[in-house]
Amino acid sequence: MKARLRFVKLGEMQYIGHLDLMRYFQKLFRRSGLYMSYSKGFNPHQIMSFASPLGVGLTSIGEYLDISLESLGEHTESEWIDIINARSNGLILVTAFMIMPDDTKPSMSLLGAASYRVELFSEDAVKDVERFFYGNESIVYIKETKKSKKEIDLRKEIPILSADYNVFSDEMSKICIYDHDYEKKYIDAGEKGCIYMLCRAGSVLNIKPEMLFDIYGKITGYQIMRLDMLSGEDKYVSMSVG
Amino acid sequence: MDRKLALERNILMSVEKPARYIGNEINMVKKDLNDIDIRFCMCFPDVYEIGMSHLGIQILYDMFNKRDDTYCERVYSPWKDLDEIMRRENIPLFALESQQPVKDFDFLGITLQYEMCYTNVLQVLDLSQIPLFAADRGNDDPIVIGGGPCSYNPEPLADFFDIFYIGEGETVYDELLDLYKDMRNKDYDRHEFLRKAAMIEGLYVPSLYSVEYDANGLISSFEPIYEELPHKIRKQAATDLEEYYPKNPLVPYIKVTQDRAVLEIMRGCIRGCRFCQAGMIYRPLRERNADYLKSLAGEMIDSTGYEEISLSSLSSSDCSCIKEMVYYLIDEFSDKKVNISLPSLRIDAFSLDVMSKVQDIRKSSLTFAPEAGSQRMRDVINKGLTEEIILSGAMDAFKSGWNRVKLYFMLGLPTETYDDIEAIAKLAESIAEEYYTIPKEERNGKVNIVVSTSLFVPKPFTPFQWVSMNKAEEFTDKKGFLMSKIKEQLNQKSIKYNCHDSEVSVLEGVFARGDRRCAKVIYSAYKKGCMFDSWSEFFDAGKWEEAFLENDIDPSFYTARERSTGEMLPWDFIDIGVTKEFLIREYENSKKAVVTPNCKEKCSGCGASSYLKGGCRF
Ligand code: SF4
């Protein structure tokens, strides 16, 4: 049985790296008594995969974890959420527990975009970034790997960018299906000093908000929160929408 | 939860593994500071991953926090990167739980597990902004307490500590905290408190004892400065081992050295190896009840979610419930996908059976600790392991499919000759030859033998506490010699050799048997920047050499010098139950290479039975 969990990673949990987070979930699921499926072999491990690793220093309200279950046992999905969260630390919390059809592809392979909020802690800085972004027809980021050098045009790869949450969510509604009410529980729409953006994502090309700030320079000490992850190419559907 | 981290985000983002400093691990104890009378900060003076792996701290953490009036928190050595930032920005060291400065606590308890952490003790005090020397501390500074195995000779650190707790923490800490609570309420005076604390059995307040030396630098007198104080400090040994145990141990976020639930099945050891300090200071043997251990195992796995559990003790094969426990864990936990990590067991039919059940034979190795190569040398150290046992154990294992062997030895043991060292190479060769007697078709590829040598450091409260320790050059010669002998063996390609660093061992030797005069050296070395000395990337032999020279202290006075059994030793004021007469008897036996039977075979009247009502019983 396959299941997809949405979870949040808040506050100081931003300092926990991806591999440690994986180990955290393994122990959390054991404490909770979830009927996880295990791989075969001498050192069996729980079958799980994340939609996309979250870097150290980022918080999130839109992480996704695919797991394999033997069964749900005596509890419903929502009961499991309560059981798991009661055994977690208050900062890593499961917010959705969805049973998926057996032929569901891993969320990792479906990933097409991710939305973010970047706190810049300064209204002036926010205006400057907006001006920089919309004032240039193309913003080229050079991604260097050991093997290759690739030019990425951030103007194309970041379909939405706004300092106004309401503008951002209007734009989002035009091309995305996602759980707006969920987001509003964590986001204060009136908060100043933040930039919201939707970035294309995926295994081949993964656009991160940091790329834009790398080019723009001048700003340090910003705090990024991932809001959601979505599948699709030009029109997107949140992974929380099945 | 309103808990602000002590470190700003930009700092946390600039250091390696920021999770070392944020606390809030699963099973961390949370208390409201308004309800608390006593704040106790427990410290392991090494990096988080090492400190978090230590069972003793978890036991004390559980014990202290059972008191409603006390909040026990933790602190570890900040790694070098953060250390530099904290010094530069004048950030006081903080406890992980409340994230508040350690200097505001009532107590700072530091566990001393190995000598090479001594400069880190100073680092922790310094970063906490607590005066390094006990004499400079005032009423508002925490009481600094040392404990753990190195406190069986606390003298090199005497100047830096207010109190040493000699022995196991489970017995008199309550008494100390009650005394403090009582006195803190009135016109508290630090000195008065320490004077009263020194009357509690097992507590040593170094500032209340004075030491004199004769013209040769030997101790001529060691006396309390007040009449009422005891002349001997009696080691504490818990008799009820089922009162405190962390049923909900802390679960770190990052991978630590001991990343599993640990069950301490017994304390003490019946063997009496003459080089082993743990074997003497933890006497008498006390076993935990199997039913208690079984219920603990279940509770710990449920509360932590660990995927591995291990059994711990000095010599698990001697534990009367070992078979019962191992088979219980296998039956109980294999369905739950909990791995069993086996303690080092003597190789026999039982251990081979369970090893084949819980490990992948092709990947795991057999471990033998003969400690010495020749039978004569093994008799000197009272290690009752014969070549025959090793070879037949290895053969049984080879037939069951193993082909990797790890062998542990020591170099520099008392009376050691080059023949004894050559015997190490020959023993490894014999094991390899044994392997190749198996017909080729039945063998599992090539045999793979790893020989490791550590360097013998004489420790207090062992029959070897008087002997001369080898100098660094001797160790280096011996390592070279052993290497050349291994190279001469027929199967040398199958034998790999690992060895320890000589300089670190010599320094360990100085502090193991040092006296109060060594404090200056530790202080100077710290001021020169020595820290994390147990980490080879940080150990700086040159700085230590300067520190000895500047303070006019000759390390070989503490290491290479053979003591007479009549000499007053710096740690003689401690009574560990095991008598000096017994240690002398054992020392004499070692010179004659006479083996002493283990406690289960025959009691040798060491004295430790005084801790048990009705004496030692097996
Ligand atoms: S008193 Fe006897 S049995 Fe008890 S620890 Fe000492 S030697 Fe062993």
Side-chain angles (χ1 to χ4, degrees):
Chain A
M1 178 187 267
K2 285 186 179 176
R4 182 184 293 162
L5 310 189
R6 182 176 191 174
F7 68 94
V8 302
K9 189 172 181 249
L10 306 173
E12 64 220 41
M13 289 305 114
Q14 66 182 282
Y15 303 114
I16 309 299
H18 180 65
L19 288 177
D20 292 328
L21 182 70
M22 197 158 89
R23 294 171 348 100
Y24 179 83
F25 271 109
Q26 287 164 358
K27 294 192 179 82
L28 177 58
F29 292 153
R30 285 173 165 285
R31 289 197 294 276
S32 307
L34 199 59
Y35 301 97
M36 294 293 289
S37 299
Y38 283 80
S39 66
K40 304 275 176 285
F42 239 101
N43 285 307
H45 55 267
Q46 297 176 4
I47 299 172
M48 58 164 72
S49 69
F50 291 83
S52 168
L54 187 70
V56 172
L58 276 69
T59 59
S60 176
I61 57 169
E63 294 303 291
Y64 293 90
L65 173 59
D66 295 338
I67 58 175
S68 244
L69 291 170
E70 293 300 309
S71 77
L72 279 177
E74 59 283 30
H75 298 292
T76 63
E77 293 95 311
S78 73
E79 283 168 357
W80 278 118
I81 293 183
D82 293 341
I83 293 169
I84 294 168
N85 289 346
R87 284 157 186 77
S88 191
N89 57 14
L91 296 171
I92 291 173
L93 294 168
V94 174
T95 53
F97 192 127
M98 298 164 277
I99 299 297
M100 307 299 278
D102 280 345
D103 59 357
T104 312
K105 286 192 188 139
S107 38
M108 196 191 312
S109 68
L110 297 171
L111 184 66
S115 52
Y116 296 91
R117 181 188 72 181
V118 185
E119 286 176 275
L120 301 181
F121 307 106
S122 148
E123 282 184 62
D124 291 342
V126 161
K127 284 197 195 98
D128 289 346
V129 171
E130 245 185 338
R131 231 175 278 133
F132 170 70
F133 185 77
Y134 287 108
N136 286 292
E137 234 159 74
S138 78
I139 298 173
V140 178
Y141 179 86
I142 297 172
K143 191 180 172 185
E144 272 185 85
T145 60
K146 274 173 216 131
K147 280 178 267 163
S148 67
K149 227 177 176 183
K150 203 152 80 189
E151 291 193 357
I152 300 169
D153 184 356
L154 294 180
R155 281 293 273 119
K156 291 208 187 76
E157 304 298 339
I158 302 177
I160 305 175
L161 182 145
S162 174
D164 182 333
Y165 180 70
N166 294 322
V167 173
F168 170 75
S169 56
D170 284 350
E171 292 293 315
M172 285 283 285
S173 317
K174 289 180 195 156
I175 54 168
C176 304
I177 301 170
Y178 73 111
D179 189 344
H180 190 235
D181 292 339
Y182 171 91
E183 205 163 276
K184 292 271 280 209
K185 280 192 273 183
Y186 296 92
I187 296 276
D188 172 7
E191 198 179 324
K192 298 280 191 299
C194 298
I195 292 262
Y196 300 88
M197 49 173 126
L198 179 73
C199 301
R200 286 192 215 274
S203 50
V204 185
L205 188 61
N206 203 25
I207 305 303
K208 296 173 175 171
E210 297 95 307
M211 293 175 175
L212 180 63
F213 295 98
D214 274 1
I215 298 182
Y216 181 64
K218 293 182 235 177
I219 296 173
T220 53
Y222 50 86
Q223 169 87 56
I224 303 174
M225 178 192 259
R226 182 143 67 187
L227 303 176
D228 203 356
M229 283 188 253
L230 309 94
S231 60
E233 254 168 63
D234 292 311
K235 300 263 186 208
Y236 303 98
V237 181
S238 162
M239 301 229 181
S240 67
V241 189
Chain B
M1 186 181 50
D2 237 12
R3 184 168 157 278
K4 197 183 167 297
L5 295 185
L7 300 172
E8 301 285 346
R9 184 170 183 274
N10 62 346
I11 295 178
L12 285 165
M13 289 302 291
S14 68
V15 299
E16 194 188 309
K17 302 194 191 175
R20 284 167 174 163
Y21 312 108
I22 63 173
N24 199 18
E25 301 93 333
I26 292 300
N27 294 332
M28 182 185 94
V29 175
K30 294 171 191 164
K31 291 192 180 186
D32 184 344
L33 289 174
N34 296 315
D35 307 334
I36 296 302
D37 296 315
I38 304 167
R39 301 188 66 185
F40 197 109
C41 191
M42 189 57 88
C43 170
F44 192 111
D46 207 324
V47 75
Y48 179 88
E49 294 92 307
I50 307 270
M52 274 296 276
S53 304
H54 185 246
L55 177 65
I57 288 208
Q58 298 241 17
I59 294 179
L60 294 181
Y61 185 76
D62 180 58
M63 179 189 83
F64 283 124
N65 281 320
K66 282 216 165 93
R67 282 178 70 115
D68 288 335
D69 61 356
T70 303
Y71 189 12
C72 178
E73 308 186 31
R74 295 159 296 139
V75 70
Y76 304 97
S77 285
W79 192 239
K80 282 260 186 166
D81 51 1
L82 181 61
D83 176 279
E84 278 163 31
I85 296 172
M86 292 177 82
R87 281 169 206 272
R88 195 170 62 227
E89 311 208 352
N90 204 27
I91 300 168
L93 185 59
F94 53 91
L96 293 180
E97 276 73 3
S98 64
Q99 298 278 311
Q100 292 176 0
V102 173
K103 64 178 170 192
D104 296 338
F105 279 62
D106 299 293
F107 290 94
L108 170 60
I110 304 179
T111 182
L112 305 165
Q113 295 293 321
Y114 32 85
E115 290 80 4
M116 300 322 289
C117 74
Y118 288 179
T119 49
N120 277 57
V121 169
L122 299 190
Q123 177 216 20
V124 166
L125 291 171
D126 208 3
L127 291 179
S128 298
Q129 304 173 354
I130 297 170
L132 298 187
F133 289 96
D136 299 332
R137 290 179 202 139
N139 283 346
D140 290 334
D141 291 310
I143 300 287
V144 182
I145 308 185
C150 292
S151 58
Y152 286 87
N153 176 23
E155 291 300 87
L157 292 173
D159 291 350
F160 309 119
F161 281 85
D162 299 302
I163 303 178
F164 287 100
Y165 185 122
I166 313 293
E168 297 166 5
E170 289 105 328
T171 62
V172 298
Y173 257 125
D174 268 336
E175 222 178 302
L176 179 70
L177 297 192
D178 289 341
L179 175 72
Y180 179 79
K181 198 167 136 185
D182 193 41
M183 293 185 71
R184 188 82 227 193
N185 288 338
K186 297 162 198 151
D187 329 303
Y188 173 72
D189 176 79
R190 186 185 189 87
H191 186 78
E192 273 310 299
F193 168 70
L194 290 175
R195 188 168 168 178
K196 288 241 170 68
M199 296 299 289
I200 298 175
E201 191 184 83
L203 299 191
Y204 168 53
V205 176
S207 60
L208 303 183
Y209 291 78
S210 79
V211 191
E212 280 164 37
Y213 305 92
D214 67 16
N216 297 320
L218 305 182
I219 297 175
S220 58
S221 95
F222 182 97
E223 293 290 330
I225 60 173
Y226 299 117
E227 235 172 42
E228 79 268 17
L229 298 178
H231 285 255
K232 282 252 174 188
I233 310 291
R234 172 87 169 159
K235 167 192 93 175
Q236 297 302 296
T239 44
D240 179 4
L241 287 187
E242 283 157 32
E243 195 177 356
Y244 300 108
Y245 205 89
K247 299 187 176 74
N248 320 306
L250 289 148
V251 187
Y253 291 110
I254 54 175
K255 212 171 163 64
V256 301
T257 319
Q258 175 96 260
D259 202 23
R260 56 186 75 90
V262 182
L263 261 187
E264 187 197 34
I265 52 179
M266 62 177 187
R267 257 183 226 171
C269 179
I270 59 168
R271 296 271 140 191
C273 298
R274 295 181 179 127
F275 56 85
C276 178
Q277 187 188 39
M280 295 295 158
I281 60 179
Y282 296 122
R283 282 183 177 212
L285 184 87
R286 289 146 294 152
E287 295 194 10
R288 283 196 168 96
N289 174 294
D291 291 334
Y292 175 70
L293 290 171
K294 288 176 192 172
S295 79
L296 265 184
E299 283 180 86
M300 284 173 37
I301 292 298
D302 288 347
S303 73
T304 59
Y306 271 125
E307 42 280 293
E308 189 165 325
I309 186 162
S310 76
L311 300 176
S312 128
S313 78
L314 290 169
S315 170
S316 299
S317 294
D318 294 325
C319 182
S320 42
C321 68
I322 184 70
K323 285 191 189 170
E324 185 183 345
M325 277 312 294
V326 170
Y327 286 124
Y328 170 82
L329 294 180
I330 292 175
D331 288 349
E332 182 67 19
F333 289 125
S334 50
D335 282 355
K336 297 184 183 154
K337 306 284 188 295
V338 177
N339 298 322
I340 320 292
S341 127
L342 291 174
S344 51
L345 292 170
R346 222 171 303 134
I347 302 300
D348 57 18
F350 158 67
S351 59
L352 291 177
D353 175 49
V354 296
M355 280 165 70
S356 68
K357 286 196 168 111
V358 306
Q359 297 167 350
D360 187 343
I361 295 181
R362 285 160 307 160
K363 286 186 190 139
S364 67
S365 49
L366 301 168
T367 303
F368 292 98
E371 306 295 358
S374 68
Q375 194 54 47
R376 185 199 73 83
M377 196 74 259
R378 285 193 292 273
D379 291 345
V380 167
I381 61 176
N382 206 38
K383 184 87 198 184
L385 192 59
T386 63
E387 182 152 344
E388 227 182 312
I389 298 177
I390 297 171
L391 292 182
S392 72
M395 195 55 180
D396 289 343
F398 294 154
K399 284 185 187 147
S400 318
W402 271 275
N403 65 350
R404 291 161 193 256
V405 184
K406 282 189 200 158
L407 298 169
Y408 291 97
F409 299 95
M410 276 188 279
L411 289 177
L413 288 163
T415 75
E416 178 183 66
T417 65
Y418 278 79
D419 289 342
D420 296 315
I421 299 172
E422 186 171 355
I424 295 175
K426 286 183 179 157
L427 179 57
E429 170 65 18
S430 306
I431 294 173
E433 285 175 9
E434 199 70 12
Y435 183 80
Y436 290 112
T437 61
I438 301 176
K440 198 165 184 186
E441 344 37 281
E442 291 164 39
R443 294 198 302 247
N444 182 12
K446 276 188 168 169
V447 71
N448 179 318
I449 298 172
V450 179
V451 170
S452 299
T453 58
S454 61
L455 306 175
F456 172 61
V457 178
K459 295 277 165 111
F461 295 110
T462 66
F464 292 152
Q465 64 178 355
W466 296 279
V467 305
S468 160
M469 178 177 161
N470 281 180
K471 295 191 167 176
E473 310 82 71
E474 293 173 85
F475 281 133
T476 308
D477 284 351
K478 288 179 176 181
K479 286 190 279 190
F481 176 77
L482 177 53
M483 186 52 124
S484 71
K485 286 295 159 189
I486 287 175
K487 287 271 167 285
E488 283 173 17
Q489 305 302 317
L490 216 58
N491 288 294
Q492 51 110 347
K493 285 210 175 105
S494 305
I495 308 172
K496 196 173 164 273
Y497 177 43
N498 290 331
C499 52
H500 271 228
D501 184 63
S502 318
E503 265 116 5
V504 175
S505 299
V506 169
L507 196 58
E508 189 187 326
V510 173
F511 298 128
R513 293 189 293 170
D515 55 34
R516 286 191 179 187
R517 293 169 293 190
C518 296
K520 303 186 283 224
V521 182
I522 300 169
Y523 180 78
S524 303
Y526 170 70
K527 285 288 171 188
K528 290 174 190 298
C530 289
M531 215 191 285
F532 291 103
D533 294 305
S534 59
W535 296 75
S536 54
E537 66 262 49
F538 294 128
F539 179 71
D540 188 336
K543 284 188 181 140
W544 277 102
E545 202 175 312
E546 286 170 32
F548 279 104
L549 275 174
E550 281 167 22
N551 291 288
D552 201 20
I553 284 185
D554 174 12
S556 63
F557 175 81
Y558 297 103
T559 54
R561 185 173 63 90
E562 183 183 330
R563 283 81 162 160
S564 86
T565 51
E567 180 176 329
M568 193 189 288
L569 302 169
W571 53 92
D572 273 351
F573 68 93
I574 295 173
D575 167 17
I576 65 157
V578 175
T579 60
K580 198 166 196 176
E581 292 70 51
F582 172 76
L583 296 178
I584 293 175
R585 216 152 67 219
E586 278 298 279
Y587 185 27
E588 295 306 323
N589 284 337
S590 81
K591 290 180 190 165
K592 292 177 277 182
V594 172
V595 171
T596 298
N598 71 49
C599 296
K600 281 192 183 171
E601 291 163 359
K602 180 176 173 289
C603 170
S604 305
C606 76
S609 61
S610 58
Y611 285 93
L612 302 175
K613 275 191 214 103
C616 296
R617 264 181 294 201
F618 297 104

